[in-house]
Amino acid sequence: MKDKRILYVSSEVVPYLAENEVSLMSYDVPKMINDQGGQIRIFMPRYGNINERRHQLHEVIRLSGMNLVVNDLDMPLIIKVASIPKERIQVYFIDNDEYFKRKATFTDEEGVMYPDNDERAIFFAKGVVETVKKLNWVPDIIHVHGWMAAMLPIYMKHYYKHEALFSETKIVTSVYTQSFDETLDPEMIKKVKFDGVSHEAVSDLEIPNYENILKASILHSDAVIIASNNLSSSLTKFIESSGKPFLPFVPKDAFAEAYTNFYKNEVL
């Protein structure tokens, strides 16, 4: 994978958030490619519970300052950056005071999902693409981890489909076991359609629960990785029948070779 450019877009990444299946793989996979000589960028949201001083985040003024439209509202985009210690991997943080200042990731202190999680996901997807455009950095692969990043494949295939910068870019989605039981805002599909995405393309979002959000992401990806050993049978069957190249679950001690071969033989 030497000199291949891979953009990792994730809901969660260690060491910035607690360890779980998504956050660990969102660190381990980029590190593996970085060790092979690949060129890596990681993007994640700048949640309010990330300690900026400890992790030495700083705003990148030349990348910040634009407004993104979400559901007909202008939302300022702030970009921050940090480096993972000892790994020489840059992590870019998508920030906005309205969406990400609160001191938690997805739920309030009662464990209730934030009512605007759908808009946060849309803002995150647009923020990643607009920042990569400003960097003028052309990824060979965009690899998506976690449901908060699941709107990115949809926006790449519709909203940004005429961007010449990404004409050769392939999208891989890693699918993890279900992480929430609720449904996001029932108006989510209208907000996505506001951006010129057809109803047919995102009909799964009529009921925006975890599984349907991932289905919509899978349909707009070029390849899929089953990243959890205990993925639901319905999502597993959906992936198997999607017609997309997919990698079955691989345990952590064997993922490096499997992921590398999948990138080389099925994606690139």
Side-chain angles (χ1 to χ4, degrees):
M1 296 300 293
K2 185 170 172 56
D3 295 329
K4 292 297 181 186
R5 292 182 171 192
I6 305 186
L7 173 64
Y8 291 93
V9 183
S10 180
S11 299
E12 306 164 81
V13 184
V14 295
Y16 305 104
L17 291 171
E19 292 185 2
N20 60 37
E21 204 168 36
V22 176
S23 65
L24 284 167
M25 286 305 284
S26 298
Y27 168 82
D28 289 337
V29 183
K31 180 185 183 307
M32 178 263 294
I33 295 299
N34 194 55
D35 290 345
Q36 294 179 15
Q39 297 183 41
I40 301 303
R41 298 283 188 278
I42 302 175
F43 277 74
M44 67 177 290
R46 207 294 294 179
Y47 307 104
N49 56 343
I50 293 173
N51 189 314
E52 293 199 12
R53 183 177 295 176
R54 183 193 311 147
H55 295 296
Q56 299 183 339
L57 273 67
H58 60 272
E59 185 175 349
V60 187
I61 303 298
R62 69 183 178 89
L63 297 176
S64 299
M66 76 175 85
N67 279 10
L68 305 180
V69 178
V70 178
N71 197 28
D72 208 18
L73 289 173
D74 277 357
M75 307 301 285
L77 173 64
I78 301 164
I79 304 298
K80 295 174 179 173
V81 71
S83 293
I84 295 178
K86 302 176 186 172
E87 296 301 336
R88 290 188 297 181
I89 296 175
Q90 278 199 312
V91 181
Y92 290 83
F93 296 83
I94 301 296
D95 199 2
N96 170 272
D97 286 349
E98 184 74 23
Y99 288 139
F100 295 113
K101 198 164 189 176
R102 60 202 75 160
K103 294 292 184 183
T105 49
F106 312 125
T107 64
D108 63 22
E109 60 253 15
E110 306 295 324
V112 177
M113 293 281 281
Y114 290 124
D116 62 352
N117 272 340
D118 60 328
E119 294 184 12
R120 298 168 89 209
I122 292 168
F123 183 87
F124 180 48
K126 286 184 170 183
V128 169
V129 181
E130 294 295 348
T131 305
V132 173
K133 283 166 58 181
K134 273 199 170 182
L135 290 169
N136 199 30
W137 190 79
V138 185
D140 296 295
I141 296 172
I142 298 175
H143 191 163
V144 174
H145 298 258
W147 68 267
M148 182 64 85
M151 289 296 101
L152 190 126
I154 295 164
Y155 274 78
M156 285 290 292
K157 298 290 174 146
H158 293 280
Y159 193 75
Y160 294 105
K161 66 182 177 183
H162 297 303
E163 288 287 347
L165 193 73
F166 305 111
S167 61
E168 302 297 321
T169 300
K170 302 296 184 185
I171 302 173
V172 178
T173 291
S174 278
V175 183
Y176 295 86
T177 192
Q178 186 162 330
S179 59
F180 66 87
D181 297 321
E182 300 92 326
T183 299
L184 301 192
D185 185 353
E187 299 288 299
M188 181 178 189
I189 191 168
K190 291 183 181 177
K191 298 170 189 178
V192 176
K193 287 165 62 179
F194 176 84
D195 288 322
V197 182
S198 71
H199 186 97
E200 182 183 25
V202 288
S203 58
D204 287 303
L205 298 181
E206 287 178 4
I207 302 174
N209 57 25
Y210 179 86
E211 199 148 299
N212 286 341
I213 289 167
L214 267 296
K215 284 179 178 178
S217 187
I218 291 162
L219 286 173
H220 290 86
S221 301
D222 297 296
V224 183
I225 293 175
I226 297 176
S228 295
N229 193 24
N230 54 346
L231 194 66
S232 72
S233 59
S234 54
L235 259 182
T236 302
K237 287 174 185 172
F238 184 83
I239 293 166
E240 291 171 347
S241 63
S242 68
K244 313 280 183 181
F246 74 92
L247 179 67
F249 175 74
V250 181
K252 189 167 181 177
D253 59 0
F255 89 89
E257 184 178 3
Y259 277 43
T260 303
N261 289 337
F262 187 69
Y263 281 159
K264 287 180 176 178
N265 302 324
E266 300 289 348
V267 182
L268 293 170

